[in-house]
Amino acid sequence: MKTKRHGAVAGLIAAGALLLTACGSDNNAPAGGSTTSGNASGVAVECGGKSKLNAEGSSAQKNAIDTFVQAYQQKCAGSDLAYNASGSGAGVKNFLAGQVDFGGSDSPLSESKGEVAKAAERCKGNPAWNLPLVFGPVAIGYKLDGVTDLTLTGEVAAKIFNGTVKKWNDPAIKALNGSATLPDKDIKVVYRSDESGTTDNFQLYLKAASKGAWTQGEGKTFKGGVGEGKEKSAGVAQAVGSIDGAVTYVELSFAQENKLSIAKIDTGSGAVALNDESVGKAIDGATIKGTGNDLVLDLNSIYGTTTAGAYPLLLATYEIVCSAGYDADTAKAVKAFLTVAATDGQAGLKEAGYAPLPKAFQDKLLTAIKAIA
């Protein structure tokens, strides 16, 4: 997910759209006031409570949060949220310490690290919920002169990124691409040299989808043992854009900005292009392994999907909130912000490189948000 350049633009786009939908609204409460209004999804928003929320965490969702804030300010006059994109670790740490109203994280709270218990203590004896609010598609982006339509499977992708498949005309790639003319050219892997949630999710995808071809492990450090490392998403995308025969994994917006070709992925039901519809199908098919309104995802249900038309390579980020235990003003504002984010706030996400929520998943989130006490 793009974290630097599209935030302001996406925010303006979202704000412009929201201005149109808000015409005639009676939502003109002063700061700290309370009003109820509908939104584009027909869901009531109970504005009011704490006038300025504080949140911190994942940089991967920063531009999405910026878009949500624009929508929140428009929907609930006088309300605001400050988000510090300090990284998932800091977001969880400061949420547990009660320093922020909610945390943003690329992964849910860890029971083995004691985070679940500490969150219950922070929430005055109530459990914290992990709400997956922001999804960003990850592209397998490449530059190969004369080839702009390419299909890969999880297995072949794993073999490319661990160096088993070394040439673009390797029989394993040719078998997936019919009559396409593939050059006898070296594959040049470019990977993230810095620790990255994108790397972690990509390696989890390879582990789940490669039929055992990926044995290198997982984590935020690339473990494929092949290629050249570059820092940040911008670095890998720019490098691939300047090298014929190069390939990387990168958030969609960076691939688009650098004019990279994007591989289709065949999960067993035919080649699937990366688009809103295919990403939505993958999100819709996600299994929740958390209980009740704790919406922790089973990522294998996304990464290992065989659903026709579903694009499986996504990064999900969570908002970590108290299910109860806030003071009344904070609870009201948290619920208002999250409700706007899950509804009107979706309008500007595509321009910022994220995936808008499909209706069925949106409903699950709204049910959980409404239950915050």
Side-chain angles (χ1 to χ4, degrees):
M1 282 172 250
K2 194 156 188 183
T3 58
K4 290 185 179 180
R5 298 182 185 179
H6 283 325
V9 175
L12 289 171
I13 292 170
L18 290 163
L19 282 169
L20 292 175
T21 60
C23 288
S25 170
D26 60 357
N27 185 12
N28 296 307
S34 177
T35 188
T36 301
S37 65
N39 57 32
S41 300
V43 178
V45 180
E46 294 284 347
C47 297
K50 188 175 181 179
S51 62
K52 187 168 185 177
L53 293 168
N54 290 291
E56 182 171 359
S58 168
S59 60
Q61 65 175 8
K62 173 62 166 60
N63 285 347
I65 296 292
D66 288 346
T67 299
F68 299 157
V69 169
Q70 291 278 351
Y72 182 47
Q73 292 171 336
Q74 176 62 33
K75 183 60 61 178
C76 296
S79 296
D80 196 8
L81 177 138
Y83 186 79
N84 181 14
S86 58
S88 297
V92 170
K93 178 181 177 181
N94 286 322
F95 171 77
L96 297 179
Q99 300 299 309
V100 294
D101 298 314
F102 63 87
S105 179
D106 297 341
S107 56
L109 293 174
S110 169
E111 188 166 4
S112 64
K113 293 179 181 178
E115 292 171 351
V116 172
K118 290 177 182 176
E121 183 178 347
R122 179 257 194 269
C123 297
K124 299 180 180 179
N126 302 287
W129 289 340
N130 302 272
L131 305 182
L133 183 62
V134 179
F135 290 84
V138 177
I140 299 178
Y142 68 96
K143 181 178 181 181
L144 189 59
D145 286 350
V147 181
T148 57
D149 188 356
L150 183 75
T151 298
L152 300 174
T153 61
E155 181 178 3
V156 173
K159 290 178 178 179
I160 288 172
F161 283 90
N162 67 16
T164 305
V165 168
K166 303 177 185 295
K167 294 276 191 178
W168 281 109
N169 66 344
D170 185 283
I173 300 178
K174 290 178 70 174
L176 297 171
N177 289 279
S179 59
T181 300
L182 298 169
D184 181 13
K185 187 172 292 183
D186 290 340
I187 297 174
K188 300 170 184 177
V189 170
V190 180
Y191 62 87
R192 286 281 294 269
S193 59
D194 54 320
E195 288 196 350
S196 164
T198 308
T199 297
D200 191 16
N201 279 265
F202 182 62
Q203 293 183 140
L204 286 169
Y205 160 71
L206 293 178
K207 180 181 177 181
S210 69
K211 300 180 179 178
W214 185 262
T215 59
Q216 283 64 41
E218 56 197 66
K220 293 185 178 181
T221 299
F222 181 70
K223 298 178 180 177
V226 63
E228 178 183 3
K230 295 291 183 181
E231 285 195 358
K232 309 297 183 184
S233 297
V236 296
Q238 289 166 8
V240 172
S242 66
I243 303 170
D244 186 40
V247 64
T248 192
Y249 54 92
V250 70
E251 295 91 330
L252 173 61
S253 58
F254 286 93
Q256 291 173 328
E257 180 172 305
N258 288 275
K259 297 180 172 57
L260 306 185
S261 297
I262 297 172
K264 298 174 183 175
I265 296 179
D266 188 343
T267 64
S269 301
V272 179
L274 198 174
N275 55 44
D276 286 351
E277 182 181 359
S278 62
V279 170
K281 281 189 176 181
I283 297 171
D284 265 342
T287 300
I288 305 295
K289 66 180 182 181
T291 57
N293 289 315
D294 185 22
L295 304 181
V296 177
L297 297 168
D298 177 3
L299 291 177
N300 285 336
S301 67
I302 298 177
Y303 296 149
T305 185
T306 57
T307 299
Y311 182 86
L313 186 47
L314 309 176
L315 188 154
T317 63
Y318 296 85
E319 312 314 322
I320 300 172
V321 304
C322 289
S323 61
Y326 291 119
D327 63 77
D329 281 348
T330 301
K332 189 167 192 175
V334 167
K335 293 173 74 170
F337 174 79
L338 293 176
T339 300
V340 173
T343 53
D344 284 355
Q346 300 294 301
L349 289 187
K350 183 176 180 180
E351 291 81 0
Y354 301 89
L357 295 171
K359 179 64 165 57
F361 199 87
Q362 181 189 54
D363 289 344
K364 293 177 185 178
L365 274 173
L366 289 170
T367 297
I369 293 164
K370 185 177 181 180
I372 294 172

